[in-house]
Amino acid sequence: MTITPPALSVFETLESEVRSYCRGWPAVFDRAQGSRLTDEDGHSYLDFFAGAGALNYGHNNPVLKRALIDYIERDGITHGLDMATTAKRAFLESFQHVVLRPRDLPYKVMFPGPTGTNAVESALKLARKVKGRESIVSFTNAFHGMSLGSLAVTGNAFKRAGAGIPLVHGTPMPFDNYLDGRTEDFLWFERLLEDQGSGLNKPAAVIVETVQGEGGVNVARPEWLRALADLCRRQDMLLIVDDIQMGCGRTGAFFSFEEAGITPDIVTLSKSISGYGLPMSLCLFRPELDIWEPGEHNGTFRGHNPAFVTAAAALTTYWADGQMEKQTIARGEQVERALASICAESAGSGSGTGKGSRTGNGSGTSSASRTSSGTDVGTGAEFRGRGLVWGLEFADKERASAVCARAFELGLLLETSGPVGEVVKLLPPLTITPEELDEGLRTLSRAVLETA
């Protein structure tokens, strides 16, 4: 497929320079359905990006679209602040019956605003309010949002610099395997907590992603997460799991922390909770933490009722029978096999010896494995992931961008992640067919070989 970059005059002359994704994908997109987008010139693209995880059920999912159209056509409430509405009631009932009760999760539900960073901000505020402390511990390479509180617990130096002011009251600790297994898990963290001379203020909470998506698809082992939960209990700190990108089934189970067998004190959800790409986020927390005063945290668009409608439809359609989790695990195994082949081919082509996977598939059996093989001689690759989030990392830090650029030319949308964009990130819709997934993986393989 030959793609001629369009004349983007109005975007280049009127829109801010802050735009980013459009620079890697120089097309004007017009339509989308399922796992594909089409630009205004009729070129089709297979989507391994899925709205950065906001489109787990694909573009314009027909079941969700029908529910939304029916609601709009009957003049259902669109904007409702935090007023009680039939759409909100239907969502809350579905969430309780389909998600919370089957998992024996006792959470209260808060609608903090339309975006993920709204959910994170509310979680941090609540933790500080409950514990009466300011400090929050986060982890290396974490990403939690772009507003000031969320940036203070985000690791990426480029994003943090955009704040323009000091980002305070956040303390980073090493994420799982950050020190390549040379140091016992949480040795440094616990020593600081227990040493009166360490200078570490007692934290109110610890915030963590079970899989760091923007940080490079770094997968935390279940045992590491269990040890973190135990440390938080022993040290009187709240545990916040940021499940904004990895929740709603991305790793297999509805919540990414289920496999580890832990129950966080606070959980944040956004992105695919609406099911249709509509703005919506949730902050979930144990009932005893619900010490908010009425209106103490609010937002104009926290009552986006069309999102409630599609969210309820997504839950009842995809999560009532357990099939979505099994399907995602199976698709993940398909990706894992393909990435192993790509790394082997990359090694065989003379571009270096490919490394193996450090992976978890969400099945509760092999996900604890964290193995690698081969010797990286400079330009090899390794892969890691869970469910349907995977990363392909190159020793040549600029290779990932070249692979994504070539994939776009071949009709596949991919993004990079990691501190310097060294990882090709795979985030296809959960509803992608095996045939579409195979097509995209073949395209990725071609892009890797052609950029060697």
Side-chain angles (χ1 to χ4, degrees):
M1 178 171 61
T2 301
I3 299 171
T4 302
L8 300 175
S9 58
V10 69
F11 304 108
E12 293 171 342
T13 60
L14 189 59
E15 190 179 1
S16 167
E17 292 299 317
V18 78
R19 65 192 188 280
S20 60
Y21 291 115
C22 59
R23 298 179 188 276
W25 303 329
V28 178
F29 297 102
D30 182 48
R31 291 173 289 113
Q33 209 287 316
S35 301
R36 297 184 186 274
L37 295 90
T38 305
D39 68 20
E40 62 181 359
D41 294 323
H43 297 122
S44 177
Y45 302 81
L46 192 56
D47 188 3
F48 271 27
F49 174 65
L55 296 167
N56 280 3
Y57 312 106
H59 296 269
N60 287 303
N61 182 289
V63 175
L64 311 188
K65 179 167 64 174
R66 184 72 264 162
L68 179 59
I69 290 173
D70 289 346
Y71 183 76
I72 293 172
E73 286 186 338
R74 74 167 185 81
D75 291 332
I77 298 291
T78 295
H79 181 269
L81 294 167
D82 67 358
M83 295 185 292
T85 66
T86 56
K88 181 194 281 189
R89 180 174 60 201
F91 166 72
L92 286 170
E93 289 175 347
S94 297
F95 194 70
Q96 183 178 43
H97 295 311
V98 176
V99 176
L100 297 181
R101 281 184 179 169
R103 294 162 178 80
D104 197 27
L105 294 173
Y107 297 134
K108 297 288 289 291
V109 178
M110 175 182 177
F111 300 98
T115 71
T117 198
N118 293 135
V120 169
E121 294 283 359
S122 66
L124 301 181
K125 286 171 65 174
L126 181 60
R128 288 168 170 141
K129 180 178 175 66
V130 168
K131 292 300 182 182
R133 308 176 202 137
E134 297 176 349
S135 178
I136 304 290
V137 167
S138 58
F139 291 94
T140 51
N141 292 316
F143 178 80
H144 296 290
M146 298 296 283
S147 50
L148 293 181
S150 300
L151 277 176
V153 290
T154 287
N156 186 282
F158 174 74
K159 292 180 173 63
R160 288 175 61 90
I165 62 172
L167 297 170
V168 297
H169 308 308
T171 302
M173 291 290 167
F175 191 70
D176 191 14
N177 205 48
Y178 182 75
L179 299 173
D180 298 320
R182 295 192 301 269
T183 302
E184 181 182 346
D185 292 337
F186 307 114
L187 177 65
W188 171 246
F189 189 4
E190 192 156 19
R191 184 74 58 85
L192 290 176
L193 288 170
E194 295 178 347
D195 184 356
Q196 296 299 309
S198 70
L200 176 66
N201 293 330
K202 182 77 170 182
V206 174
I207 185 168
V208 66
E209 303 155 276
T210 66
V211 180
Q212 295 180 326
E214 297 303 311
V217 193
N218 304 311
V219 183
R221 294 165 297 147
E223 57 266 35
W224 186 86
L225 293 168
R226 288 191 289 270
L228 176 60
D230 180 65
L231 177 62
C232 287
R233 282 192 298 270
R234 289 187 285 105
Q235 295 290 342
D236 187 32
M237 302 178 296
L238 297 178
L239 176 60
I240 305 169
V241 168
D242 180 341
D243 235 4
I244 287 166
Q245 188 169 79
M246 298 304 152
C248 302
R250 177 54 57 180
T251 64
F254 187 85
F255 293 107
S256 70
F257 56 80
E258 290 182 53
E259 183 192 9
I262 63 175
T263 301
D265 300 293
I266 303 175
V267 180
T268 60
L269 288 176
S270 186
K271 291 192 181 288
S272 275
I273 187 59
S274 80
Y276 203 75
L278 300 176
M280 179 178 175
S281 73
L282 304 177
C283 185
L284 314 175
F285 40 80
R286 296 180 184 273
E288 61 269 24
L289 304 181
D290 193 10
I291 63 172
W292 292 112
E293 295 291 333
E296 193 172 9
H297 185 95
N298 58 24
T300 303
F301 293 102
R302 68 193 185 281
H304 187 39
N305 282 252
F308 298 155
V309 171
T310 53
L315 294 177
T316 56
T317 302
Y318 293 104
W319 292 99
D321 60 5
Q323 291 305 306
M324 177 57 76
E325 180 175 352
K326 295 177 182 177
Q327 176 178 298
T328 298
I329 291 170
R331 300 287 192 273
E333 291 169 349
Q334 184 179 348
V335 176
E336 183 174 6
R337 290 191 297 270
L339 291 180
S341 177
I342 288 172
C343 286
E345 290 177 3
S346 178
S349 69
S351 62
T353 300
K355 298 177 73 177
S357 66
R358 295 182 291 147
T359 175
N361 67 4
S363 66
T365 54
S366 64
S367 60
S369 66
R370 199 174 180 86
T371 60
S372 62
S373 60
T375 303
D376 188 341
V377 296
T379 54
E382 71 173 40
F383 61 95
R384 52 187 178 264
R386 282 178 59 196
L388 275 176
V389 53
W390 290 83
L392 180 62
E393 180 176 1
F394 296 94
D396 177 356
K397 302 298 185 183
E398 297 182 0
R399 178 92 175 273
S401 294
V403 169
C404 289
R406 181 57 182 148
F408 172 77
E409 294 173 348
L410 298 171
L412 177 66
L413 300 186
L414 291 163
E415 72 164 332
T416 62
S417 67
V420 292
E422 72 276 21
V423 178
V424 174
K425 182 179 176 184
L426 285 67
L427 210 67
L430 306 185
T431 51
I432 193 169
T433 67
E435 295 76 20
E436 290 172 327
L437 191 55
D438 186 57
E439 175 190 340
L441 292 167
R442 289 197 308 269
T443 302
L444 171 61
S445 178
R446 179 178 168 185
V448 170
L449 290 175
E450 292 182 358
T451 56

